[in-house]
Amino acid sequence: MSASTRKKVQRKSKIRGYNLKVDALDEILSFVSRFPNSDHDEAIDLLLDQLDHESLKSTIVDKELVQRLVSLLWETDEAVGETSVSFGSSSRSSICVVDAFDIPKFQYDPIRKQFYEHTSSLPVHGEASAKEALYRDRFLLLTQRLSRDQHFSKPAFDSEFSHFGSCEQYKVTTGFFSENTIVVAEGEMLVEGIFQHHLLACCYSVACKDGEKVMGKLETVLDGFESVEVVPSLFVFMGNFSSRPCNLSFHTYSTLRLQFGKLGQIIAAHSRLIEHSRFLFIPGPDDAGPSTSLPRCALPKYLTEELQKHIPNAIFSSNPCRVKFYSQEIVFFREDMLYRMRRSCLMPPSEEETNDPFQHLVATITHQSHLCPLPLTVQPIIWTYDHCLYLYPTPHTIVLGDSSQQKAFKYTGITCFNTGSFSIDSTFVVYRPCSQEVELSAL
């Protein structure tokens, strides 16, 4: 078996969080060698998918476990009377889209110093106490993070260097302010997509008047991906899906509905994408919905019915939403954060390390563990669902949909990028989760 295949097995296993022993790796390569070279990728994915269903006590995989899984696969193959192990669903099954309103709520108990799950139902319209709890929970979360930071942790062994670079002698207080005033940076975006080992992200707008031009550009992009060897396994489209805000003065919902139908026809014309890819749609800040509060629910069914006739497996999720890709978590958030946070900034951020506003934005939301650390007067948030915007535990990747210039920045191990606006600048981003490589692209 070639060295490239060996490296591919190791990379795919690492993505899913598995550590292969040498004899386990050899056993997997032996299984893969029974298939033609063109089927090696799918054979590896099939075996690792089978491994995902096992209840493992450790991430270390040995030879005996692989042998048992291989035997199960061949036994199943013989039972159904086929001549080869079936492929095709592994890339789709590796992706899980999590709606914001389905994210469980965990609260930190400062007395027991542990998190516990909130098990009762959460009303959308909370009582006044829910607003107080919003700020308290944010503060306790940051307190927990700060107390675990190495600079505030007591060293295990005292030495003359124990307190070098340490803030342990300073006490972390436990009071909190009633209003969030820590604000620094900005951001926005629209369309995206994920590949079998790639994630494509780009801005898009299905405009009521100038939509033909935008959809023409999108068709060019889809034509390109239709012809590649490995087609995307997921495309993510983020709003706004109209050139004008869908507010009380908007009276052309029927036209917008037809535009979604045209978008569905364009996508359906690409047979390989329809067969192997999935399509995720996330609303923007000016799209139709019950309110402008975050998190925003999925697009109304009335607007998307025509599109679903052409793409039955289309997914309509909230803003923000999360995508699980094997062991990695990717957060998508469509909001003009960069401009709005700069407008709400109390004092300009320090330019000692960088003067890039996007990097300041990434640092701010990462330190705050929150996608939108703006005052509620600037950006309303559903009090009882504020936890949906938490960035704790920190995800592997944050995709910010912002109308500002394309940017990519890796901070404290988190890959964060802004795709730019596809409808304005024809820009999009290709992202490979396996290597966390970001390609800033444009037509």
Side-chain angles (χ1 to χ4, degrees):
M1 189 61 63
S2 65
S4 61
T5 305
R6 177 178 290 268
K7 290 181 180 179
K8 186 178 295 183
V9 172
Q10 292 174 322
R11 185 179 70 249
K12 287 175 177 284
S13 300
K14 186 177 181 181
I15 290 174
R16 304 200 189 197
Y18 299 126
N19 296 315
L20 300 178
K21 288 187 175 181
V22 176
D23 53 1
L25 175 60
D26 293 336
E27 194 67 28
I28 294 176
L29 293 174
S30 175
F31 170 75
V32 174
S33 65
R34 304 181 190 184
F35 301 93
N37 292 338
S38 58
D39 291 337
H40 280 181
D41 277 347
E42 292 178 321
I44 298 170
D45 290 337
L46 181 66
L47 185 56
L48 293 177
D49 285 343
Q50 190 71 22
L51 187 60
D52 288 339
H53 292 90
E54 294 292 311
S55 298
L56 304 178
K57 296 181 180 180
S58 171
T59 59
I60 299 176
V61 178
D62 56 24
K63 178 181 179 180
E64 289 71 23
L65 176 58
V66 176
Q67 286 179 331
R68 181 166 61 83
L69 295 178
V70 170
S71 298
L72 286 173
L73 287 174
W74 290 124
E75 288 174 5
T76 303
D77 184 53
E78 292 173 359
V80 296
E82 296 179 353
T83 57
S84 62
V85 177
S86 59
F87 302 123
S89 62
S90 58
S91 62
R92 293 191 179 189
S93 62
S94 64
I95 297 171
C96 176
V97 179
V98 182
D99 190 280
F101 293 94
D102 294 330
I103 297 176
K105 181 177 182 179
F106 288 87
Q107 294 173 292
Y108 181 67
D109 186 338
I111 305 300
R112 297 183 178 180
K113 298 186 183 302
Q114 64 182 23
F115 285 91
Y116 65 93
E117 185 174 0
H118 183 91
T119 55
S120 58
S121 60
L122 294 172
V124 174
H125 302 288
E127 299 180 354
S129 59
K131 183 178 182 181
E132 177 188 347
L134 178 152
Y135 291 112
R136 182 177 64 248
D137 290 343
R138 285 192 195 182
F139 175 79
L140 291 176
L141 177 63
L142 293 179
T143 302
Q144 192 268 350
R145 283 194 61 194
L146 190 61
S147 65
R148 292 175 60 87
D149 188 273
Q150 60 180 347
H151 296 95
F152 287 89
S153 301
K154 187 175 181 178
F157 302 98
D158 290 328
S159 68
E160 56 181 317
F161 301 106
S162 294
H163 300 287
F164 181 76
S166 172
C167 304
E168 193 266 326
Q169 65 268 31
Y170 299 105
K171 183 180 180 181
V172 180
T173 58
T174 56
F176 73 95
F177 300 99
S178 60
E179 191 68 38
N180 184 2
T181 57
I182 305 176
V183 184
V184 187
E186 359 163 7
E188 164 191 316
M189 155 179 148
L190 302 169
V191 177
E192 315 151 45
I194 299 176
F195 299 49
Q196 275 190 349
H197 292 293
H198 317 299
L199 167 65
L200 163 70
C202 55
C203 287
Y204 180 66
S205 175
V206 184
C208 291
K209 294 183 179 179
D210 54 348
E212 296 298 328
K213 180 180 178 181
V214 177
M215 283 197 266
K217 294 191 294 184
L218 178 64
E219 188 171 12
T220 302
V221 174
L222 295 177
D223 289 342
F225 288 119
E226 173 80 5
S227 60
V228 297
E229 182 179 354
V230 180
V231 300
S233 47
L234 176 67
F235 284 89
V236 184
F237 295 79
M238 299 179 71
N240 299 318
F241 292 102
S242 173
S243 58
R244 293 187 292 112
C246 295
N247 50 30
L248 294 176
S249 63
F250 188 84
H251 301 295
T252 54
Y253 287 101
S254 58
T255 304
L256 183 57
R257 173 186 167 100
L258 293 176
Q259 290 283 37
F260 270 107
K262 291 181 180 179
L263 175 60
Q265 291 177 352
I266 291 175
I267 296 174
H270 300 80
S271 57
R272 291 187 66 216
L273 299 184
I274 287 294
E275 181 180 357
H276 300 287
S277 307
R278 300 180 71 181
F279 300 86
L280 170 63
F281 295 83
I282 301 172
D286 292 331
D287 282 324
S291 74
T292 59
S293 299
L294 291 174
R296 292 180 63 96
C297 59
L299 291 166
K301 187 176 181 180
Y302 168 78
L303 296 178
T304 61
E305 283 178 332
E306 292 297 320
L307 184 145
Q308 283 191 300
K309 292 179 181 178
H310 303 285
I311 315 172
N313 65 343
I315 306 169
F316 298 91
S317 191
S318 61
N319 180 29
C321 83
R322 297 166 190 256
V323 171
K324 290 283 291 182
F325 182 76
Y326 294 115
S327 62
Q328 295 196 32
E329 181 173 308
I330 305 168
V331 175
F332 294 93
F333 184 42
R334 169 63 179 93
E335 185 58 66
D336 293 329
M337 287 294 295
L338 192 56
Y339 171 77
R340 299 182 70 185
M341 290 193 71
R342 295 185 76 177
R343 285 290 303 268
S344 302
C345 187
L346 297 180
M347 15 182 216
S350 171
E351 297 185 356
E352 183 177 345
E353 295 185 8
T354 179
N355 60 357
D356 188 339
F358 181 74
Q359 294 187 13
H360 284 297
L361 170 63
V362 174
T364 299
I365 63 175
T366 302
H367 291 161
Q368 293 287 304
S369 295
H370 200 279
L371 280 170
C372 187
L374 287 166
L376 297 185
T377 53
V378 177
Q379 174 54 62
I381 292 177
I382 302 175
W383 300 339
T384 50
Y385 284 89
D386 181 61
H387 67 281
C388 301
L389 283 79
Y390 284 1
L391 292 174
Y392 188 78
T394 52
H396 296 84
T397 307
I398 302 173
V399 182
L400 297 175
D402 196 282
S403 58
S404 59
Q405 184 183 0
Q406 273 187 326
K407 291 279 184 175
F409 181 49
K410 192 162 188 175
Y411 185 71
T412 63
I414 304 172
T415 301
C416 186
F417 59 89
N418 167 38
T419 62
S421 174
F422 184 77
S423 59
I424 298 174
D425 304 322
S426 304
T427 56
F428 59 96
V429 175
V430 175
Y431 175 61
R432 295 178 175 84
C434 57
S435 60
Q436 294 191 325
E437 178 186 354
V438 179
E439 292 184 9
L440 303 181
S441 309
L443 282 181

